[in-house]
């Protein structure tokens, strides 16, 4: 979390040293689903490892395999997100 400074952008993060759960273990995704209080299909995992994306999909989440910023923006735009500010 601190390495990537994700807490600057998100009010929540799920890191293995806090949860004791690691991707692609299904329980890691189920934990996030419970904590976010959302349906799995409302959650999008962005990860640079295909096995983690497949694990998320097995738990019912949508996932995007991160390759680069341009591809990520295109994938998110295809899902209906718009970017007025820089991430």
């Amino acid at each position: 979390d601190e390495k990537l400074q994700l807490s600057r952008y998100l009010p929540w993060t799920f890191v293995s040293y806090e949860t004791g759960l690691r991707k692609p273990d299904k329980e890691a995704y189920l934990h996030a689903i419970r904590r976010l209080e959302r349906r799995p299909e409302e959650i999008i995992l962005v990860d640079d490892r295909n096995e983690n994306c497949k694990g998320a999909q097995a738990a019912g989440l949508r996932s995007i395999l991160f390759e680069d910023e341009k591809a990520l923006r295109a994938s998110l735009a295809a899902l209906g997100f718009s970017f007025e500010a820089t991430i």
Side-chain angles (χ1 to χ4, degrees), residues 12-84:
W12 41 260
T13 56
F14 303 100
V15 291
S16 60
Y17 72 86
E18 291 179 350
T19 66
L21 304 167
R22 296 183 59 90
K23 301 174 290 186
D25 181 4
K26 188 175 182 177
E27 187 55 39
Y29 306 107
L30 296 176
H31 172 77
I33 292 166
R34 288 189 298 270
R35 290 283 313 278
L36 294 172
E37 299 179 345
R38 297 284 183 210
R39 295 189 319 265
E41 63 272 13
E42 295 178 307
I43 302 171
I44 303 168
L45 171 82
V46 178
D47 201 289
D48 63 348
R49 297 183 66 195
N50 194 42
E51 67 185 51
N52 293 339
C53 289
K54 287 181 179 182
Q57 291 169 2
L61 282 68
R62 295 185 286 173
S63 68
I64 297 171
L65 180 63
F66 180 82
E67 298 174 58
D68 59 45
E69 181 183 350
K70 183 177 179 180
L72 176 60
R73 286 178 178 267
S75 294
L76 289 170
L79 293 172
F81 292 88
S82 64
F83 299 94
E84 307 222 356

